[in-house]
Amino acid sequence: MLDLILLVVGLLQQPAVMEPPVKAGLGAAFHAGRRAALVEELRKQTPEGSVLVRGLPETRGYTKFQQDKTFWYLSGVESPNAALLVDVKSGASTLYLPKRSSGKEQWDGEQWDASDDWVRTITGIATVKETGQLDADLKASVALAKAIWISKEPWIDVAGCFDRARPHDHAQARDPLDGRPSREDALA
């Protein structure tokens, strides 16, 4: 019996094994095309500035993570705590991912992080930085161009829809015991 218990404990301590994805979303070319189309539209308004699109944070429970639709459409990244900054003048994109956590990867399997070389390959985004650098990069971008575009629409995960998200955000803001602004309003 002791041998069986030791075997089970040994198996439970084995790290979760998950291979990196082969491609991001619908492929690097598709998502690069979406970013290029966005930049083209914004250049009609002004030749400078940046676009900030944030992915969603991790789930609060043990539920499968689903990325924000807009973030996914522009990046193909299906990992939490990510952000994308696109320079309108140059068209260059910077992807921000969390720093590596070997403890998290041991339990949850491969996590997209800024130190993974394969992220650049499958997303087609050459510049990948740790999420902690985003604030400094935003300040530098504002100092240069004075314009940062953000979405004021409520975040929607891949399985969600606007007709449920917007009323939820408004109800949360009006709730006298809650009153928190949406993620979008808090950023603005």
Side-chain angles (χ1 to χ4, degrees):
M1 183 68 172
L2 181 60
D3 290 337
L4 179 60
I5 292 172
L6 291 175
L7 175 64
V8 170
V9 169
L11 289 174
L12 291 175
Q13 291 180 344
Q14 295 298 315
V17 177
M18 181 184 281
E19 295 295 318
V22 207
K23 70 177 185 176
L26 296 175
F30 173 84
H31 299 288
R34 300 304 88 225
R35 292 189 301 273
L38 175 63
V39 165
E40 185 179 319
E41 283 300 311
L42 291 174
R43 282 182 183 156
K44 293 175 183 175
Q45 296 175 32
T46 182
E48 296 183 338
S50 296
V51 178
L52 172 64
V53 185
R54 297 186 309 158
L56 294 178
E58 291 188 57
T59 62
R60 292 182 71 177
Y62 292 105
T63 57
K64 184 178 180 336
F65 174 79
Q66 292 190 316
Q67 189 58 271
D68 173 71
K69 286 181 179 184
T70 303
F71 182 79
W72 182 87
Y73 186 70
L74 294 171
S75 71
V77 174
E78 299 176 32
S79 185
N81 302 314
L84 179 69
L85 189 63
V86 181
D87 181 71
V88 174
K89 186 174 185 179
S90 69
S93 297
T94 303
L95 179 63
Y96 296 86
L97 294 171
K99 65 181 178 180
R100 185 170 188 271
S101 170
S102 57
K104 184 161 179 49
E105 287 187 344
Q106 181 176 7
W107 291 104
D108 295 340
E110 178 63 43
Q111 302 291 304
W112 295 47
D113 60 66
S115 64
D116 290 327
D117 289 331
W118 55 264
V119 170
R120 290 166 183 78
T121 304
I122 68 169
T123 62
I125 300 173
T127 306
V128 179
K129 297 181 178 183
E130 286 187 8
T131 312
Q133 296 177 272
L134 177 59
D135 190 46
D137 288 356
L138 278 174
K139 288 176 182 173
S141 182
V142 168
L144 291 174
K146 306 280 189 243
I148 300 279
W149 283 277
I150 62 169
S151 173
K152 290 288 284 168
E153 294 297 322
W155 64 268
I156 308 292
D157 67 26
V158 174
C161 56
F162 283 107
D163 65 330
R164 302 259 322 168
R166 189 171 283 117
H168 173 274
D169 287 354
H170 289 295
Q172 176 179 290
R174 287 189 314 263
D175 183 340
L177 299 177
D178 189 338
R180 289 175 293 158
S182 68
R183 293 178 80 229
E184 297 75 22
D185 288 338
L187 178 63

